[in-house]
Amino acid sequence: MTNDDWSALVDTTDEWITTRTGIKERRFAADDQSTLDLSEQAALRAMGDAGLSADDIDEIILATDTPELYTPDTASLLQDRLGCRTIPTYDLGGSGCAGWIQAIDVARSRIAFEPKNILVVGVELISRLISWEDRATCVLFGDGAGAIVMGPGTGKATLVDVISGTDGSKADILTLQTGGTRHPFTVESAAAGDHQRLDMKGSEVFREAVRRMSSVTLELLERIDRPLGEVALLIPHQANKRIIDAIGHKLGLSEDKVFVNVDRYGNTGSATVPLGLWEAYGESRIQPGDLVVLTAFGAGFHWASAAMQF
Ligand code: ACO
């Protein structure tokens, strides 16, 4: 769906969206597709790339703010869809765009505790959750899914370290309130479209995103004792090209070292980082020996960075 497609629906322009966000187009799932369908596709590709079958998966963690159902978790539905054994599964929900890096952080500690293969999925069908009439939010997002399999052995990359953080006092800068126990669904709220009312303090999100993603990346590099100059590629959360540029600038990284695909997909929430990783890897922008840093921020307010040695 292009910016011009949106400008036919709401009072916006390609020029406004492009200059404010860098987004040119985004993908939306078809009407007959759901979060589970996108998760399955990503999971099958990750398992195929790792040379593993459903029987080899020992656990599933799925990060999403747009689950298949209110209950049960999407991960249990994915376990059945993939034909896995009766392995434990769980969703990591509500962490917004930082959810997938938080999930790989949880997975690595689970593997350190007990060697196992964990499928880690990041997926969003944000098109079902946002108001198609609110121009301030609807143009920002897209649907997508990405996945990896993490295990104890030597794979394509080693997860060197992860740092995550949360500032719950800033929860109000990005919320979707209707549907929870504080504001349960009512006939009136559904009619008013409150269940799709994403409240976002855009400029505050922008400021916190730049501040937290750059500082957690520096903190991580210091902890693993690797200088910025050794980072071959930074894959930041893809919310807005101006946020990405500001982080690159703050860190002093040249443009070729900062991955960008927000122009084609928009903000796919917890899927942006695994999607970026998959694309960068597929386009051979990641080579053996490369140090790759992932970073994200999301509603909560959460932030996280991960370092991967290929
Ligand atoms: N088309 C045209 N005009 C618009 C649109 C639109 N789609 N959306 C909002 N506007 C208008 C507003 O109504 C407002 O008008 P007003 O001044 O008459 O009230 C005006 O544009 C706001 O313009 P700016 O202040 O120049 O907007 P800004 O430069 O702050 O950009 C944006 C807004 C893009 C939302 C920016 O603040 C931003 O990117 N923030 C980060 C938010 C983000 O990335 N959210 C993603 C979800 S969070 C996450 O990923 C964790």
PDB file of all heavy atoms in Angstrom, residues 191-215:
ATOM      1  N   ALA A 191     -18.414   0.990  18.983  1.00  0.00           N
ATOM      2  CA  ALA A 191     -19.029   1.855  17.966  1.00  0.00           C
ATOM      3  C   ALA A 191     -18.174   3.093  17.721  1.00  0.00           C
ATOM      4  O   ALA A 191     -18.077   3.591  16.586  1.00  0.00           O
ATOM      5  CB  ALA A 191     -20.432   2.254  18.402  1.00  0.00           C
ATOM      6  N   ALA A 192     -17.521   3.586  18.781  1.00  0.00           N
ATOM      7  CA  ALA A 192     -16.685   4.791  18.641  1.00  0.00           C
ATOM      8  C   ALA A 192     -15.303   4.456  18.059  1.00  0.00           C
ATOM      9  O   ALA A 192     -14.497   5.351  17.809  1.00  0.00           O
ATOM     10  CB  ALA A 192     -16.537   5.462  19.993  1.00  0.00           C
ATOM     11  N   GLY A 193     -15.013   3.166  17.902  1.00  0.00           N
ATOM     12  CA  GLY A 193     -13.713   2.764  17.347  1.00  0.00           C
ATOM     13  C   GLY A 193     -12.584   2.881  18.360  1.00  0.00           C
ATOM     14  O   GLY A 193     -11.401   2.920  17.989  1.00  0.00           O
ATOM     15  N   ASP A 194     -12.926   2.896  19.662  1.00  0.00           N
ATOM     16  CA  ASP A 194     -11.891   3.064  20.690  1.00  0.00           C
ATOM     17  C   ASP A 194     -10.894   1.902  20.704  1.00  0.00           C
ATOM     18  O   ASP A 194      -9.750   2.072  21.129  1.00  0.00           O
ATOM     19  CB  ASP A 194     -12.528   3.179  22.087  1.00  0.00           C
ATOM     20  CG  ASP A 194     -13.219   4.513  22.271  1.00  0.00           C
ATOM     21  OD1 ASP A 194     -13.044   5.394  21.401  1.00  0.00           O
ATOM     22  OD2 ASP A 194     -13.940   4.677  23.282  1.00  0.00           O
ATOM     23  N   HIS A 195     -11.340   0.723  20.286  1.00  0.00           N
ATOM     24  CA  HIS A 195     -10.445  -0.446  20.296  1.00  0.00           C
ATOM     25  C   HIS A 195      -9.313  -0.287  19.283  1.00  0.00           C
ATOM     26  O   HIS A 195      -8.369  -1.070  19.274  1.00  0.00           O
ATOM     27  CB  HIS A 195     -11.243  -1.725  20.011  1.00  0.00           C
ATOM     28  CG  HIS A 195     -11.989  -1.689  18.716  1.00  0.00           C
ATOM     29  ND1 HIS A 195     -12.989  -0.777  18.458  1.00  0.00           N
ATOM     30  CD2 HIS A 195     -11.866  -2.437  17.605  1.00  0.00           C
ATOM     31  CE1 HIS A 195     -13.466  -0.972  17.242  1.00  0.00           C
ATOM     32  NE2 HIS A 195     -12.797  -1.974  16.710  1.00  0.00           N
ATOM     33  N   GLN A 196      -9.417   0.712  18.405  1.00  0.00           N
ATOM     34  CA  GLN A 196      -8.345   0.959  17.431  1.00  0.00           C
ATOM     35  C   GLN A 196      -7.685   2.315  17.679  1.00  0.00           C
ATOM     36  O   GLN A 196      -6.993   2.827  16.808  1.00  0.00           O
ATOM     37  CB  GLN A 196      -8.918   0.930  16.013  1.00  0.00           C
ATOM     38  CG  GLN A 196      -9.432  -0.440  15.606  1.00  0.00           C
ATOM     39  CD  GLN A 196     -10.072  -0.419  14.238  1.00  0.00           C
ATOM     40  OE1 GLN A 196     -10.825   0.483  13.910  1.00  0.00           O
ATOM     41  NE2 GLN A 196      -9.767  -1.427  13.441  1.00  0.00           N
ATOM     42  N   ARG A 197      -7.928   2.887  18.852  1.00  0.00           N
ATOM     43  CA  ARG A 197      -7.395   4.230  19.120  1.00  0.00           C
ATOM     44  C   ARG A 197      -6.005   4.128  19.750  1.00  0.00           C
ATOM     45  O   ARG A 197      -5.840   3.932  20.939  1.00  0.00           O
ATOM     46  CB  ARG A 197      -8.340   5.010  20.044  1.00  0.00           C
ATOM     47  CG  ARG A 197      -8.097   6.517  19.965  1.00  0.00           C
ATOM     48  CD  ARG A 197      -9.135   7.294  20.744  1.00  0.00           C
ATOM     49  NE  ARG A 197     -10.510   6.988  20.433  1.00  0.00           N
ATOM     50  CZ  ARG A 197     -11.155   7.382  19.330  1.00  0.00           C
ATOM     51  NH1 ARG A 197     -10.533   8.106  18.443  1.00  0.00           N
ATOM     52  NH2 ARG A 197     -12.410   7.055  19.143  1.00  0.00           N
ATOM     53  N   LEU A 198      -5.004   4.250  18.913  1.00  0.00           N
ATOM     54  CA  LEU A 198      -3.623   4.224  19.390  1.00  0.00           C
ATOM     55  C   LEU A 198      -3.245   5.643  19.797  1.00  0.00           C
ATOM     56  O   LEU A 198      -3.212   6.540  18.961  1.00  0.00           O
ATOM     57  CB  LEU A 198      -2.721   3.742  18.243  1.00  0.00           C
ATOM     58  CG  LEU A 198      -1.284   3.403  18.586  1.00  0.00           C
ATOM     59  CD1 LEU A 198      -1.219   2.230  19.549  1.00  0.00           C
ATOM     60  CD2 LEU A 198      -0.524   3.054  17.304  1.00  0.00           C
ATOM     61  N   ASP A 199      -3.037   5.829  21.112  1.00  0.00           N
ATOM     62  CA  ASP A 199      -2.641   7.166  21.585  1.00  0.00           C
ATOM     63  C   ASP A 199      -1.126   7.254  21.568  1.00  0.00           C
ATOM     64  O   ASP A 199      -0.454   6.500  22.272  1.00  0.00           O
ATOM     65  CB  ASP A 199      -3.154   7.397  23.024  1.00  0.00           C
ATOM     66  CG  ASP A 199      -4.650   7.635  23.027  1.00  0.00           C
ATOM     67  OD1 ASP A 199      -5.123   8.340  22.124  1.00  0.00           O
ATOM     68  OD2 ASP A 199      -5.341   7.097  23.914  1.00  0.00           O
ATOM     69  N   MET A 200      -0.616   8.172  20.773  1.00  0.00           N
ATOM     70  CA  MET A 200       0.844   8.272  20.639  1.00  0.00           C
ATOM     71  C   MET A 200       1.272   9.718  20.757  1.00  0.00           C
ATOM     72  O   MET A 200       0.791  10.569  20.023  1.00  0.00           O
ATOM     73  CB  MET A 200       1.252   7.715  19.273  1.00  0.00           C
ATOM     74  CG  MET A 200       2.740   7.678  19.059  1.00  0.00           C
ATOM     75  SD  MET A 200       3.169   7.022  17.446  1.00  0.00           S
ATOM     76  CE  MET A 200       2.663   8.363  16.386  1.00  0.00           C
ATOM     77  N   LYS A 201       2.176   9.981  21.711  1.00  0.00           N
ATOM     78  CA  LYS A 201       2.775  11.318  21.781  1.00  0.00           C
ATOM     79  C   LYS A 201       4.014  11.276  20.890  1.00  0.00           C
ATOM     80  O   LYS A 201       5.132  10.949  21.341  1.00  0.00           O
ATOM     81  CB  LYS A 201       3.127  11.658  23.229  1.00  0.00           C
ATOM     82  CG  LYS A 201       1.885  11.753  24.107  1.00  0.00           C
ATOM     83  CD  LYS A 201       2.210  12.046  25.550  1.00  0.00           C
ATOM     84  CE  LYS A 201       0.916  12.106  26.362  1.00  0.00           C
ATOM     85  NZ  LYS A 201       1.106  11.796  27.769  1.00  0.00           N
ATOM     86  N   GLY A 202       3.788  11.578  19.611  1.00  0.00           N
ATOM     87  CA  GLY A 202       4.793  11.336  18.574  1.00  0.00           C
ATOM     88  C   GLY A 202       6.165  11.912  18.850  1.00  0.00           C
ATOM     89  O   GLY A 202       7.172  11.207  18.746  1.00  0.00           O
ATOM     90  N   SER A 203       6.224  13.194  19.259  1.00  0.00           N
ATOM     91  CA  SER A 203       7.549  13.797  19.409  1.00  0.00           C
ATOM     92  C   SER A 203       8.282  13.236  20.627  1.00  0.00           C
ATOM     93  O   SER A 203       9.502  13.092  20.623  1.00  0.00           O
ATOM     94  CB  SER A 203       7.455  15.325  19.473  1.00  0.00           C
ATOM     95  OG  SER A 203       6.498  15.695  20.410  1.00  0.00           O
ATOM     96  N   GLU A 204       7.511  12.855  21.678  1.00  0.00           N
ATOM     97  CA  GLU A 204       8.159  12.252  22.850  1.00  0.00           C
ATOM     98  C   GLU A 204       8.694  10.854  22.528  1.00  0.00           C
ATOM     99  O   GLU A 204       9.778  10.468  22.935  1.00  0.00           O
ATOM    100  CB  GLU A 204       7.156  12.148  23.997  1.00  0.00           C
ATOM    101  CG  GLU A 204       7.524  13.037  25.167  1.00  0.00           C
ATOM    102  CD  GLU A 204       6.533  12.902  26.289  1.00  0.00           C
ATOM    103  OE1 GLU A 204       5.465  13.551  26.197  1.00  0.00           O
ATOM    104  OE2 GLU A 204       6.807  12.157  27.231  1.00  0.00           O
ATOM    105  N   VAL A 205       7.891  10.100  21.744  1.00  0.00           N
ATOM    106  CA  VAL A 205       8.350   8.772  21.313  1.00  0.00           C
ATOM    107  C   VAL A 205       9.644   8.933  20.520  1.00  0.00           C
ATOM    108  O   VAL A 205      10.622   8.215  20.735  1.00  0.00           O
ATOM    109  CB  VAL A 205       7.279   8.077  20.430  1.00  0.00           C
ATOM    110  CG1 VAL A 205       7.832   6.807  19.814  1.00  0.00           C
ATOM    111  CG2 VAL A 205       6.023   7.769  21.232  1.00  0.00           C
ATOM    112  N   PHE A 206       9.651   9.918  19.632  1.00  0.00           N
ATOM    113  CA  PHE A 206      10.811  10.183  18.786  1.00  0.00           C
ATOM    114  C   PHE A 206      12.054  10.424  19.662  1.00  0.00           C
ATOM    115  O   PHE A 206      13.099   9.793  19.489  1.00  0.00           O
ATOM    116  CB  PHE A 206      10.506  11.422  17.924  1.00  0.00           C
ATOM    117  CG  PHE A 206      11.450  11.632  16.786  1.00  0.00           C
ATOM    118  CD1 PHE A 206      11.025  11.458  15.479  1.00  0.00           C
ATOM    119  CD2 PHE A 206      12.765  12.021  17.008  1.00  0.00           C
ATOM    120  CE1 PHE A 206      11.890  11.644  14.415  1.00  0.00           C
ATOM    121  CE2 PHE A 206      13.629  12.221  15.958  1.00  0.00           C
ATOM    122  CZ  PHE A 206      13.195  12.042  14.663  1.00  0.00           C
ATOM    123  N   ARG A 207      11.913  11.351  20.626  1.00  0.00           N
ATOM    124  CA  ARG A 207      13.051  11.739  21.467  1.00  0.00           C
ATOM    125  C   ARG A 207      13.571  10.556  22.285  1.00  0.00           C
ATOM    126  O   ARG A 207      14.771  10.272  22.323  1.00  0.00           O
ATOM    127  CB  ARG A 207      12.582  12.850  22.413  1.00  0.00           C
ATOM    128  CG  ARG A 207      13.608  13.932  22.633  1.00  0.00           C
ATOM    129  CD  ARG A 207      13.151  15.101  23.461  1.00  0.00           C
ATOM    130  NE  ARG A 207      12.024  14.917  24.336  1.00  0.00           N
ATOM    131  CZ  ARG A 207      10.823  15.450  24.134  1.00  0.00           C
ATOM    132  NH1 ARG A 207      10.602  16.187  23.057  1.00  0.00           N
ATOM    133  NH2 ARG A 207       9.838  15.254  24.982  1.00  0.00           N
ATOM    134  N   GLU A 208      12.655   9.844  22.939  1.00  0.00           N
ATOM    135  CA  GLU A 208      13.055   8.703  23.776  1.00  0.00           C
ATOM    136  C   GLU A 208      13.677   7.598  22.944  1.00  0.00           C
ATOM    137  O   GLU A 208      14.625   6.938  23.366  1.00  0.00           O
ATOM    138  CB  GLU A 208      11.834   8.150  24.526  1.00  0.00           C
ATOM    139  CG  GLU A 208      11.399   8.982  25.702  1.00  0.00           C
ATOM    140  CD  GLU A 208      12.495   9.088  26.767  1.00  0.00           C
ATOM    141  OE1 GLU A 208      13.099   8.076  27.124  1.00  0.00           O
ATOM    142  OE2 GLU A 208      12.751  10.215  27.218  1.00  0.00           O
ATOM    143  N   ALA A 209      13.133   7.405  21.745  1.00  0.00           N
ATOM    144  CA  ALA A 209      13.640   6.341  20.864  1.00  0.00           C
ATOM    145  C   ALA A 209      15.100   6.597  20.519  1.00  0.00           C
ATOM    146  O   ALA A 209      15.947   5.697  20.628  1.00  0.00           O
ATOM    147  CB  ALA A 209      12.801   6.286  19.592  1.00  0.00           C
ATOM    148  N   VAL A 210      15.408   7.812  20.133  1.00  0.00           N
ATOM    149  CA  VAL A 210      16.791   8.141  19.744  1.00  0.00           C
ATOM    150  C   VAL A 210      17.704   8.010  20.962  1.00  0.00           C
ATOM    151  O   VAL A 210      18.767   7.374  20.898  1.00  0.00           O
ATOM    152  CB  VAL A 210      16.863   9.577  19.159  1.00  0.00           C
ATOM    153  CG1 VAL A 210      18.313   9.964  18.891  1.00  0.00           C
ATOM    154  CG2 VAL A 210      16.025   9.676  17.891  1.00  0.00           C
ATOM    155  N   ARG A 211      17.258   8.582  22.081  1.00  0.00           N
ATOM    156  CA  ARG A 211      18.089   8.580  23.292  1.00  0.00           C
ATOM    157  C   ARG A 211      18.374   7.145  23.764  1.00  0.00           C
ATOM    158  O   ARG A 211      19.521   6.764  23.985  1.00  0.00           O
ATOM    159  CB  ARG A 211      17.347   9.349  24.391  1.00  0.00           C
ATOM    160  CG  ARG A 211      18.122   9.515  25.676  1.00  0.00           C
ATOM    161  CD  ARG A 211      17.505  10.594  26.541  1.00  0.00           C
ATOM    162  NE  ARG A 211      16.365  10.123  27.297  1.00  0.00           N
ATOM    163  CZ  ARG A 211      16.437   9.655  28.549  1.00  0.00           C
ATOM    164  NH1 ARG A 211      17.598   9.602  29.151  1.00  0.00           N
ATOM    165  NH2 ARG A 211      15.360   9.252  29.185  1.00  0.00           N
ATOM    166  N   ARG A 212      17.331   6.342  23.868  1.00  0.00           N
ATOM    167  CA  ARG A 212      17.501   5.010  24.448  1.00  0.00           C
ATOM    168  C   ARG A 212      18.219   4.051  23.502  1.00  0.00           C
ATOM    169  O   ARG A 212      19.066   3.275  23.929  1.00  0.00           O
ATOM    170  CB  ARG A 212      16.139   4.429  24.830  1.00  0.00           C
ATOM    171  CG  ARG A 212      15.470   5.135  25.988  1.00  0.00           C
ATOM    172  CD  ARG A 212      16.327   5.089  27.234  1.00  0.00           C
ATOM    173  NE  ARG A 212      15.594   5.587  28.383  1.00  0.00           N
ATOM    174  CZ  ARG A 212      16.098   5.632  29.616  1.00  0.00           C
ATOM    175  NH1 ARG A 212      17.344   5.222  29.842  1.00  0.00           N
ATOM    176  NH2 ARG A 212      15.383   6.091  30.603  1.00  0.00           N
ATOM    177  N   MET A 213      17.873   4.065  22.205  1.00  0.00           N
ATOM    178  CA  MET A 213      18.532   3.105  21.289  1.00  0.00           C
ATOM    179  C   MET A 213      20.009   3.421  21.157  1.00  0.00           C
ATOM    180  O   MET A 213      20.833   2.515  21.074  1.00  0.00           O
ATOM    181  CB  MET A 213      17.840   3.087  19.925  1.00  0.00           C
ATOM    182  CG  MET A 213      16.542   2.288  19.927  1.00  0.00           C
ATOM    183  SD  MET A 213      15.981   1.812  18.297  1.00  0.00           S
ATOM    184  CE  MET A 213      15.315   3.352  17.697  1.00  0.00           C
ATOM    185  N   SER A 214      20.393   4.713  21.139  1.00  0.00           N
ATOM    186  CA  SER A 214      21.824   4.992  21.018  1.00  0.00           C
ATOM    187  C   SER A 214      22.552   4.675  22.318  1.00  0.00           C
ATOM    188  O   SER A 214      23.633   4.088  22.293  1.00  0.00           O
ATOM    189  CB  SER A 214      22.124   6.414  20.522  1.00  0.00           C
ATOM    190  OG  SER A 214      21.130   7.311  20.845  1.00  0.00           O
ATOM    191  N   SER A 215      21.947   5.018  23.476  1.00  0.00           N
ATOM    192  CA  SER A 215      22.697   4.772  24.716  1.00  0.00           C
ATOM    193  C   SER A 215      22.812   3.274  25.027  1.00  0.00           C
ATOM    194  O   SER A 215      23.864   2.813  25.463  1.00  0.00           O
ATOM    195  CB  SER A 215      22.121   5.560  25.886  1.00  0.00           C
ATOM    196  OG  SER A 215      20.807   5.153  26.131  1.00  0.00           O
TER     197      SER A 215
END
